[in-house]
Amino acid sequence: MKKTLIAAAALASLAGVAQAQSVTLYGRVDVGFEYVSDVATAGGTDSVSKLQNGGILPSIWGMRGSEDLGNGLKAVFNLESDFGGDTGGSRGLGNISSLFGRQANVGLSGSFGTVLLGRQYSPAILADLGTDPRGFKESFSSLLTYALSQNPSTNGLGAGQNNNGAGIFTSNLISYTTAIGPVTLRAGYGLGEVAGESSDGSTVALGATYAGPVTVSGSYQLIKGTGQEETKRFSAGVAVPFGALTFKAYFAQATGDNLAGVEVSDLQTYALGVNWAWNPANTLTVAYYHGDDDKFNGKSNDIVISNDYALSKRTTLYVQYVHADVDAGANVVGSIAVDRGIVAGEKTSIFGVGLKHDF
């Protein structure tokens, strides 16, 4: 009888712990058919048809959770990984091929805000999610330009630190987020952990978002490499709703210095677009992206037309068309379709249709 009472007490204690902690397994698979009219080949250019992973959002899986510590304080964590929905293989961003290459962080959350430690989204990109015309979708948005314009070749990588995930994710990051009325403020510092200069490989990220009758965003990010190499990026955006329509405008400028401290890139990107929720299940987006780097002799102009059809809260059928026009002397990083192998000096058409399912 005594042993039974002890066992019952132990089980009750464990049940209390289980109720106090919440853990969620989540993920997404996004795969579709895509046709690209002109890609670079050994003999010049040719078309290609393929199954494309991440047509609108990345295929991911992860775990997140929280524990109630009392008095409004919670412990939180997030582990998140990429994978290829088209092949089932693992995927990495930049030099990050770890199991949880997207997020691996722990922190505390309360009335003061949230403090996170570890690999996580840059506070800068989180601030701008609502003002890019396509909401930083995985394909054909400002996301790719954001990443490729902020990736110093020796940013921590020369010392094997793998700190910078192309400006989107940052390892060794200490971040703080708080809300003051309709304004959300974000700040983060990523330690480079490079022997010698304490700032080598480091990241400074700041972001602010006002979510009122309109949405206004701004961000700044500084990524240092080893030596004098670094990139600086700032942005500003606005989203204005008008009935079923939401008009968006977004601007960003990214400059990059090489190891000798010489500026080798000054890329300015402009984006305009409108989202039209033309019925409860469908959202049509028309967006224009323009890239102009003062260090190059050419510009890029991209037009995107897409429609997302919500089959349910978790499943979306999407179709999208892109017309990419990149001058022969342009910095191709300014084009939202650069990862599709487009050729400078050619006009490229891209058509895709796919399915995204969240779980």
Side-chain angles (χ1 to χ4, degrees):
M1 182 66 177
K2 187 175 182 180
K3 290 181 179 179
T4 302
L5 290 174
I6 293 174
L11 288 173
S13 176
L14 289 174
V17 171
Q19 290 174 359
Q21 185 179 44
S22 171
V23 178
T24 301
L25 173 67
Y26 67 92
R28 178 190 309 117
V29 185
D30 183 336
V31 183
F33 168 81
E34 188 173 278
Y35 169 82
V36 185
S37 66
D38 294 278
V39 299
T41 66
T45 63
D46 206 343
S47 64
V48 62
S49 298
K50 57 183 177 179
L51 278 185
Q52 178 67 42
N53 177 68
I56 54 175
L57 288 174
S59 295
I60 61 171
W61 73 276
M63 294 175 286
R64 57 175 171 250
S66 64
E67 180 186 11
D68 189 349
L69 302 176
N71 298 319
L73 185 65
K74 291 184 179 181
V76 296
F77 79 91
N78 201 166
L79 303 172
E80 189 174 286
S81 179
D82 275 299
F83 69 91
D86 50 345
T87 65
S90 61
R91 292 168 53 88
L93 182 62
N95 271 13
I96 303 298
S97 57
S98 305
L99 175 60
F100 297 113
R102 292 176 64 88
Q103 295 196 77
N105 56 70
V106 65
L108 294 173
S109 179
S111 59
F112 59 88
T114 301
V115 176
L116 296 178
L117 307 174
R119 186 166 178 83
Q120 54 193 282
Y121 279 99
S122 164
I125 196 169
L126 291 176
D128 294 338
L129 284 175
T131 56
D132 174 70
R134 283 174 52 82
F136 284 124
K137 285 185 175 179
E138 185 77 357
S139 295
F140 315 128
S141 73
S142 295
L143 180 70
L144 189 63
T145 300
Y146 181 101
L148 295 180
S149 65
Q150 297 184 93
N151 197 19
S153 59
T154 58
N155 176 64
L157 304 183
Q161 299 302 309
N162 291 338
N163 181 39
N164 173 39
I168 299 173
F169 303 98
T170 299
S171 295
N172 313 314
L173 186 72
I174 303 169
S175 74
Y176 174 65
T177 303
T178 190
I180 304 173
V183 178
T184 300
L185 302 175
R186 297 178 172 90
Y189 180 76
L191 284 74
E193 301 187 4
V194 178
E197 295 293 331
S198 61
S199 63
D200 283 357
S202 65
T203 299
V204 174
L206 303 171
T209 308
Y210 168 77
V214 301
T215 299
V216 182
S217 73
S219 69
Y220 170 81
Q221 187 153 269
L222 167 65
I223 302 175
K224 296 184 68 68
T226 55
Q228 299 184 66
E229 187 178 35
E230 67 177 29
T231 61
K232 295 179 182 178
R233 183 185 186 278
F234 72 87
S235 68
V238 62
V240 182
F242 189 78
L245 302 174
T246 301
F247 298 91
K248 297 182 178 182
Y250 185 70
F251 169 79
Q253 181 173 20
T255 60
D257 296 346
N258 63 17
L259 287 169
V262 178
E263 187 175 87
V264 293
S265 178
D266 184 0
L267 178 63
Q268 300 169 52
T269 54
Y270 305 81
L272 295 171
V274 58
N275 297 328
W276 177 30
W278 54 278
N279 71 31
N282 284 279
T283 300
L284 175 71
T285 300
V286 178
Y288 166 71
Y289 291 86
H290 173 79
D292 184 4
D293 194 321
D294 291 344
K295 303 297 180 180
F296 290 74
N297 295 316
K299 303 175 183 179
S300 62
N301 294 281
D302 304 316
I303 297 174
V304 188
I305 303 173
S306 65
N307 189 84
D308 295 348
Y309 173 46
L311 296 170
S312 71
K313 290 183 178 180
R314 294 182 176 273
T315 304
T316 300
L317 177 67
Y318 60 87
V319 59
Q320 47 197 13
Y321 170 78
V322 181
H323 176 76
D325 184 1
V326 183
D327 293 343
N331 181 356
V332 293
V333 170
S335 172
I336 60 172
V338 61
D339 64 330
R340 298 307 202 257
I342 62 175
V343 180
E346 298 283 345
K347 292 179 173 63
T348 304
S349 294
I350 304 171
F351 171 79
V353 57
L355 190 66
K356 175 186 72 69
H357 177 73
D358 299 300
F359 62 87

